Amino acid sequence: MNYPEPDQWIWWKHGVLYHIYPRSFMDSNGDGIGDIQGIISKLKYISDLGADGIWLSPIYESPMVDFGYDVSNFRKIDPVFGTMDDFMQLIREAHSLGIRVILDMILNHTSEQHNWFKDSRSSLDSDKREWYIWRDGKKDKSPNNWKSVAGGSAWEYDEATDQYYYHSFFREQPDLNWRNEELSREFFEDIKYWLDLGVDGFRLDVINLIVKDKKFRNNPYFLGIPFLQDHTYTRNRRKSIGIVRELRKLVDLYLNKVLVGEVYTQPPGNSEVAARYLDEGKGLHMAFDFSLIFQYWSARKYFNCIQKWYKCIPVNGWPCNVLSNHDLFRSVDRFPWRRHKDEKAKVAAMLLLTLKGTPFIYYGEEIGMRNAKIKRRDIQDPFGKRYWPFFTGRDKARTPMQWDDTKYAGFSSVIPWLPLNRDSIARNVEFQGKETDSILLFYKDLINIRKRLLSLQMGRWVPLLTGRGGVLVYMRVHHDERTIIFLNFTSHTKRISLPAHSYGYVLFSTHRRAKEIHFFRDLRVLPFEATIFTETQTWTT
């Protein structure tokens, strides 16, 4: 058995990362909202799960129009989550357990309550006027046709100065002007502030939106339909990659830090755009490609998506993989996962944790948490409030973590900020920790095996069966260590053969016993089987 040498292992590259939505993870003070002390109280759970780092959705001071993604002060912790002392305690205790801490960083916009914007909108002559994007209107209309992600014009008229400011999202979230060097320098100081405190890296929100067209040209429409806009001039501008490159230089002045970027794209995703921000190893360390999240449950579709993603990764780049997050429906409930959800959750877990690249687990994914049904009166998400019933918002994927079978699922002692999922009595950490075939223990065992095999952490990805017929088989190779993964995406038994590989020993499986030997000639792969084979018996004895 070959364990990684210290100089080989890089935490963000070879480890497992865990995404926490702080409002919904653990409430320590009985106000119904998760907080930093709540996270601290669950660090041992995260460590026992096998995670090497946590990514926290925003905890900065905020009016909470978009629940933290509208920041009013990048150097303060919002009181709803705790204090700076609480945060420093989190850093210390997480590091003592070998857990790194990644913060969300929103470069694209601030809250309208941020002092920068208050100063910027105070006068046409303000020193910070050009820190945001201001334009004159055209004949009492918006400067151009740019649309907001939240719907409607992305321009908001400001009566005091008789100009419009640009907002990619809600009007309370004015976009910063990253063509302004003073703004860039000041923001980099805010980033340096957190690095100096010991933060291990940043997840960069919608990083491909931070620069807009210098000429403010109108965006084209799909098929000429006004509300179907192609955001040609408001996303993926070349200068945004240059800014990321400069940020990488800053982060590289510190030891073992990471930048992972959300490269925002519409379904079905765009691997080429996401990989572009890796910039041949000079940009992001990792980029989220939404293609995998947007895929239907199909072995063939997953294979095509994975293969394309890997082909796009530059030589000096590194992939990361994710199936769920706080903005999209949980993977276990994504259409057409309507049947066999727990079985599919295990297949998906093995896919996530055995692919080449860094896996990100969204809180609750390890117990197969479902999307909750949120009544209209309980909706908190501004998107849900605005577009109900056509779009009910993102709340269903943000419900409180289900710790036990008590009244509020062990999350809080009072009514939580969002309703609990109805299945929390049976689907929770405490219950699954006692069930030998639970999703939670499956995750724990799988992560443990990943940590013990260099091939799963560092190895090449070699496809053997490409998903036709519903079975995906691939090999991970590191020097002489070869690990073969079988994933049956269907509810039917399949027969397969691997001519180039004679047999393998079961390392871990949903259906087979460890140490069994199986020949890969006319092998029966059982419904929703997920199995890891090794070609040598050394590890299993």
Side-chain angles (χ1 to χ4, degrees):
M1 175 63 209
N2 295 321
Y3 289 93
E5 296 297 327
D7 61 344
Q8 289 180 304
W9 194 82
I10 301 172
W11 69 270
W12 58 264
K13 194 172 186 180
H14 306 122
V16 175
L17 303 184
Y18 189 82
H19 176 194
I20 294 174
Y21 193 70
R23 293 182 72 88
S24 296
F25 196 61
M26 183 65 195
D27 171 23
S28 71
N29 62 358
D31 64 357
I33 300 173
D35 47 49
I36 295 171
Q37 283 296 332
I39 297 171
I40 292 171
S41 73
K42 296 298 183 182
L43 284 175
K44 187 177 185 304
Y45 166 79
I46 295 168
S47 177
D48 290 345
L49 180 64
D52 301 285
I54 53 176
W55 151 32
L56 306 182
S57 288
I59 54 174
Y60 312 109
E61 186 178 86
S62 167
M64 299 294 168
V65 171
D66 193 20
F67 294 104
Y69 284 92
D70 50 318
V71 179
S72 55
N73 192 319
F74 285 100
R75 298 197 187 194
K76 288 186 177 180
I77 301 295
D78 194 277
V80 76
F81 298 119
T83 66
M84 184 59 77
D85 287 341
D86 293 332
F87 180 75
M88 294 309 299
Q89 180 185 350
L90 173 64
I91 291 287
R92 291 192 301 271
E93 295 197 20
H95 285 177
S96 72
L97 292 170
I99 298 171
R100 277 69 170 193
V101 179
I102 297 171
L103 289 184
D104 226 311
M105 184 57 72
I106 304 93
L107 278 70
N108 183 68
H109 51 267
T110 69
S111 165
E112 64 176 350
Q113 298 302 316
H114 198 295
N115 284 335
W116 295 348
F117 188 68
K118 289 180 179 179
D119 191 334
S120 181
R121 79 187 310 179
S122 66
S123 167
L124 292 171
D125 299 321
S126 166
D127 291 340
K128 293 183 174 58
R129 186 67 176 181
E130 297 304 317
W131 286 29
Y132 292 83
I133 301 172
W134 293 93
R135 297 288 288 177
D136 290 327
K138 293 182 178 181
K139 297 180 180 180
D140 297 325
K141 293 183 179 181
S142 301
N144 61 21
N145 74 343
W146 293 354
K147 300 295 183 184
S148 163
V149 174
S153 174
W155 296 99
E156 183 71 13
Y157 180 66
D158 184 66
E159 188 174 355
T161 56
D162 192 31
Q163 279 193 322
Y164 291 79
Y165 67 84
Y166 179 78
H167 55 93
S168 293
F169 296 91
F170 294 100
R171 63 177 179 81
E172 295 90 348
Q173 297 168 289
D175 279 34
L176 291 163
N177 177 17
W178 277 92
R179 295 185 184 278
N180 183 280
E181 293 185 3
E182 289 183 6
L183 174 277
S184 177
R185 286 194 295 269
E186 184 68 19
F187 209 117
F188 275 38
E189 286 299 312
D190 281 352
I191 291 171
K192 187 175 183 296
Y193 171 80
W194 291 105
L195 290 169
D196 289 340
L197 289 179
V199 167
D200 298 290
F202 301 97
R203 176 264 189 186
L204 305 179
D205 185 59
V206 293
I207 190 61
N208 59 319
L209 271 64
I210 64 172
V211 177
K212 288 75 183 176
D213 181 48
K214 197 172 185 178
K215 298 178 181 179
F216 294 91
R217 287 170 284 187
N218 282 336
N219 278 326
Y221 295 118
F222 287 116
L223 305 175
I225 303 173
F227 58 84
L228 294 179
Q229 192 169 93
D230 184 343
H231 298 273
T232 302
Y233 296 114
T234 48
R235 296 177 188 173
N236 307 316
R237 310 307 294 168
R238 186 180 304 172
K239 185 174 176 61
S240 62
I241 296 176
I243 293 167
V244 170
R245 190 180 302 146
E246 292 304 309
L247 182 54
R248 173 67 179 266
K249 290 177 182 177
L250 169 63
V251 170
D252 282 350
L253 296 175
Y254 297 78
L255 185 64
N256 294 329
K257 306 300 183 184
V258 68
L259 292 175
V260 56
E262 177 196 25
V263 181
Y264 184 85
T265 59
Q266 299 290 340
N270 193 321
S271 300
E272 293 178 3
V273 171
R276 197 180 302 160
Y277 281 80
L278 299 175
D279 195 24
E280 302 296 335
K282 296 177 289 186
L284 298 171
H285 294 84
M286 298 182 289
F288 288 128
D289 173 25
F290 282 74
S291 302
L292 201 60
I293 290 181
F294 292 143
Q295 287 307 311
Y296 288 112
W297 184 257
S298 160
R300 182 63 179 172
K301 289 183 181 295
Y302 271 98
F303 167 76
N304 289 337
C305 173
I306 294 161
Q307 184 180 52
K308 182 177 181 180
W309 177 221
Y310 288 160
K311 285 182 177 180
C312 291
I313 299 292
V315 174
N316 295 320
W318 183 254
C320 63
N321 302 300
V322 60
L323 295 177
S324 301
N325 68 23
H326 62 295
D327 283 331
L328 299 166
F329 296 165
R330 288 185 176 276
S331 62
V332 74
D333 262 347
R334 198 170 298 131
F335 179 84
W337 287 41
R338 304 208 181 276
R339 300 172 59 196
H340 308 292
K341 290 184 179 181
D342 284 358
E343 293 90 339
K344 291 177 180 178
K346 290 181 179 180
V347 174
M350 188 170 285
L351 176 75
L352 179 66
L353 289 160
T354 61
L355 284 175
K356 179 180 179 179
T358 306
F360 280 76
I361 300 169
Y362 184 46
Y363 85 96
E365 200 165 23
E366 73 275 19
I367 59 171
M369 270 182 68
R370 310 284 203 253
N371 294 318
K373 293 182 179 180
I374 308 294
K375 295 180 180 179
R376 186 180 184 183
R377 66 172 181 266
D378 294 324
I379 292 174
Q380 301 293 321
D381 180 26
F383 282 99
K385 290 180 177 180
R386 177 174 291 193
Y387 292 110
W388 189 94
F390 305 104
F391 176 62
T392 55
R394 301 165 291 179
D395 293 332
K396 61 181 64 179
R398 299 176 175 182
T399 54
M401 180 66 174
Q402 298 163 197
W403 297 106
D404 58 37
D405 63 358
T406 57
K407 186 175 182 180
Y408 300 120
F411 166 75
S412 180
S413 59
V414 300
I415 298 174
W417 76 286
L418 275 176
L420 289 163
N421 202 313
R422 294 175 185 175
D423 70 353
S424 62
I425 293 177
R427 186 176 301 281
N428 59 68
V429 170
E430 184 178 67
F431 180 79
Q432 290 200 15
K434 300 172 184 176
E435 293 291 307
T436 56
D437 65 344
S438 70
I439 298 173
L440 176 59
L441 293 189
F442 187 82
Y443 263 89
K444 284 186 175 182
D445 291 343
L446 191 49
I447 292 172
N448 181 52
I449 287 171
R450 177 188 169 89
K451 288 180 176 292
R452 300 176 68 179
L453 291 177
L454 288 175
S455 56
L456 294 184
Q457 297 176 58
M458 307 177 181
R460 291 183 292 112
W461 182 77
V462 181
L464 301 178
L465 291 179
T466 62
R468 286 193 173 90
V471 179
L472 179 60
V473 182
Y474 51 89
M475 183 166 58
R476 299 293 307 281
V477 182
H478 182 78
H479 298 314
D480 60 348
E481 183 180 283
R482 296 169 179 261
T483 308
I484 302 176
I485 295 90
F486 284 68
L487 301 173
N488 186 351
F489 281 66
T490 78
S491 58
H492 304 286
T493 298
K494 303 286 183 174
R495 290 187 176 274
I496 64 168
S497 296
L498 300 179
H501 302 272
S502 302
Y503 61 89
Y505 297 91
V506 176
L507 194 58
F508 183 65
S509 177
T510 51
H511 292 72
R512 305 175 192 272
R513 293 181 180 179
K515 303 182 182 181
E516 287 181 348
I517 184 172
H518 289 275
F519 290 88
F520 299 150
R521 187 173 184 179
D522 200 29
L523 177 70
R524 294 174 68 249
V525 183
L526 300 172
F528 299 113
E529 178 179 342
T531 299
I532 302 175
F533 289 97
T534 178
E535 288 194 336
T536 62
Q537 197 177 11
T538 307
W539 193 89
T540 59
T541 57

